[in-house]
Amino acid sequence: MPSENQKTMENVKITIKTKKVPFFIKKMMEDKELVKSFHRGEISKEQLDAKKIRFITPI
Amino acid sequence: MPKRSDSLPRYNFSVSDSIIVTDSGAKYSFDLIDSASYFPQYPGNIVSLTFDLLNGEKAPFNAKFKNTIVFLIESYFEKDYSNVLIYVCDSTDNRHFARNRLFQKWFDEFNTENQYEKYDIEIDTDGIILSSLIVRRDNFFKELIIDSYNKQILLEK
């Protein structure tokens, strides 16, 4: 459960103590590593697609 | 409404390659990874931000680099009021606290009109994980994603 909750107008900070890394954080970190590997030419676009990694363009 | 970052000097960004090229020739990847599948209850886009030095000298981020990153993030938020951005500070080199402070500084600098809200989560496992979620203040669904984000933090699989 949150042990700290400091609220200002635009910023909220919460600290959570948990024994395991949350699932979505673990998956996001894995996705990031795969994307880095792709940009460095270590894996192909097809391998990224196979992992169902998609991008949203900012512009 | 024009973005504050519109008028500031920035580096070129190749949309097709997702690459930022600095004046010194260093290349950085910049990606918004679709992460909506981790929050199936949310109806809009959710992305995970990542950028990484691909080649060239590693150097402290200058104002032009900061403006480029902020411009790309603001452009993403401009596309749809319901867009959400999440980032996890890379901790592989133990510099996650420094990264977190830097992002906070950039956020404070550009959020002068309080158009965005930022939710910071510090997850205390064996090491500390720092993650933040940014939404537009006028996001009609923000309570939904914040609630979902908090719930997902406690979900282990």
Side-chain angles (χ1 to χ4, degrees), chain B residues 11 61-71 105-106 109-110:
Chain B
Y11 294 125
F61 297 133
N62 61 19
K64 214 166 165 181
F65 188 84
K66 171 187 67 184
N67 298 341
T68 310
I69 297 292
V70 172
F71 171 78
K105 189 166 167 262
W106 291 1
E109 207 173 306
F110 281 86

Side-chain angles (χ1 to χ4, degrees), chain B residues 71-85:
Chain B
F71 171 78
L72 292 170
I73 292 173
E74 287 196 309
S75 300
Y76 165 68
F77 278 113
E78 200 174 43
K79 284 168 79 173
D80 195 297
Y81 75 94
S82 67
N83 281 354
V84 174
L85 182 139

Side-chain angles (χ1 to χ4, degrees), chain A residues 28-59:
Chain A
M28 278 184 179
M29 287 158 86
E30 285 172 12
D31 291 349
K32 275 172 76 166
E33 286 310 309
L34 284 167
V35 169
K36 283 183 186 179
S37 299
F38 166 68
H39 279 297
R40 290 174 182 155
E42 295 159 5
I43 64 168
S44 67
K45 181 74 172 66
E46 287 69 29
Q47 285 171 291
L48 270 192
D49 291 343
K51 294 277 183 184
K52 297 192 168 116
I53 291 180
R54 293 194 320 115
F55 300 102
I56 305 250
T57 53
I59 300 170

Side-chain angles (χ1 to χ4, degrees), chain B residues 24-40:
Chain B
S24 66
K27 287 185 179 176
Y28 286 84
S29 61
F30 173 96
D31 291 293
L32 301 176
I33 306 170
D34 184 359
S35 301
S37 63
Y38 304 129
F39 302 90

Side-chain angles (χ1 to χ4, degrees), chain B residues 42-61:
Chain B
Y42 190 72
N45 287 317
I46 301 174
V47 295
S48 164
L49 166 71
T50 179
F51 55 90
D52 187 34
L53 177 66
L54 298 175
N55 65 23
E57 286 280 313
K58 196 164 193 165
F61 297 133

